[in-house]
Amino acid sequence: MGWGRRSDNLGDVSGAFDDHPFIRACRGLPHDRVPVWFMRQAGRSLPEYRAIRGTGTILDAIADPDLSTEITLQPVRRHNVDAAILYSDIVVPAHAIGFGLTITPGVGPEVDEPFRHEDDLARLRPLDPEADTPYVLETVRQLVAELDRPLIGFAGAPFTVASYLVEGRPSRDHAITKSMMFNNEPLWHALCDRLADLAIASLQSQIDHGASAIQLFDSWAGSLSPRQYQRYAAPHSTKVMDALADAGIPRIHFGVTTGELLGQLAATGADVVGVDWRVPLSEARNRVGSGISLQGNLDPTTILAGVDAATEAAREVLADNDGHPGHIFNLGHGVMPASDPEVLTEIVRLVHREGTVRT
Ligand code: CP3
């Protein structure tokens, strides 16, 4: 393929893949086929991932650029998705500055000493990406040299990363996090301000090394009411989006159960808003307003249900979008580990074959 140009020169990578359907769809521009990729496309659904992943924690795998590069490329080769997403994790910057956390297999991020008091702010120094996460930048460098399609860089949004640091482990209701918001608003904002700076430094360094788009994961923002989101989360995600506005690359903003927040996610400055399966794309489009592209929104459990169920549901997603050029096909949340990868490949073929884009 020959989408756009590749560059060996770090100062000259912005604008690479501008003609690629993924980038054009992010910008709502006409293109010739519906682009598709899957959140969590790299990972445990792939036997080739399990074969090379090793026995350490995922943080060990991320610290190995050759391994992370290969893991990022595996789903691109297998499924022919239109974009690669960097193999890393949203807690990598906090880990890299020594906050003290691990990612426990089958559980998720776990923190040795959760963030609870003013004193804990001192544990969140600024990120120096070259010194603190050289392995991430080397992985981005290797990927940009290898790939013939866009690489998506990413970071966790302040609210979602804060929820891990404050709770100390994955949580369903985020009760301790929300108590801190309600009881100590200055501390909450100070925490999120530092997490916004971590996200900005990390994303900017990924862009500088050649990422063609970025995604801000606010996976758990759906636990907030619109008023809570506006007061406690939006200012910090807006700060991240604003800081990257001049980079000239698409900024995707994603969360789960955010149907009531879609307009607010867009208003942070995002170019693309991720939609889970609970809101049809036709309705989501009304909620984000014009000029914003949508990403989604196939229910990931339809992949588990097999090729017939997934095909039927994927056709419904395409029909709901009705040929709008501002659509990147994806799941509504990540690939579930038990998914059959053959079904995912079949969905990519279907979207490329049957997806139409109005000009
Ligand atoms: O393929 C991709 O999408 C890129 C890689 C990626 C990972 N994590 C790798 C990973 C991305 C984009 C993330 C982001 C991430 N990490 C999010 C936001 C996305 C989402 O799902 O909403 C969140 C909430 C996390 C925190 C986290 N890390 C969780 C909840 C888990 C799952 C724990 C488990 O074992 O089930 C992780 C670990 C993790 N991150 C895995 C992978 C492939 C699985 C563990 C492993 O292989 O060791």
Side-chain angles (χ1 to χ4, degrees), residues 12-35:
D12 188 30
V13 286
S14 75
F17 302 118
D18 267 356
D19 298 333
H20 191 283
F22 169 76
I23 299 292
R24 291 186 64 86
C26 287
R27 299 195 164 124
L29 300 170
H31 47 279
D32 56 10
R33 68 161 201 237
V34 178

Side-chain angles (χ1 to χ4, degrees), residues 37 39 254 262 273-284 294-300 302 313-314 316-318 320-321 327-333:
W37 69 281
M39 291 182 280
F254 168 80
L262 291 172
V273 171
V275 184
D276 77 11
W277 58 94
R278 294 170 181 88
V279 181
L281 292 179
S282 50
E283 173 57 24
L294 298 178
Q295 177 170 280
N297 70 340
L298 182 66
D299 182 343
T302 66
E316 284 168 7
V317 170
L318 292 171
D320 273 335
N321 182 62
H327 176 221
I328 301 101
F329 193 102
N330 204 316
L331 304 179
H333 198 183

Side-chain angles (χ1 to χ4, degrees), residues 39-44 49 53 58 85-90 103-109 154 164 217 219-220 254 333:
M39 291 182 280
R40 290 283 173 92
Q41 61 192 16
R44 283 177 300 182
Y49 172 80
R53 160 73 172 73
I58 185 179
I85 180 156
L86 178 70
Y87 181 75
S88 184
D89 198 86
I90 58 168
I103 300 180
T104 309
V107 178
F154 72 90
Y164 285 109
F217 281 95
S219 303
W220 313 138
F254 168 80
H333 198 183

Side-chain angles (χ1 to χ4, degrees), residues 161-182:
V161 176
S163 80
Y164 285 109
L165 302 192
V166 173
E167 304 286 336
R169 61 187 56 79
S171 151
R172 188 171 272 276
D173 50 19
H174 311 283
I176 311 175
T177 311
K178 291 174 77 173
S179 291
M180 181 184 290
M181 277 177 182
F182 302 141

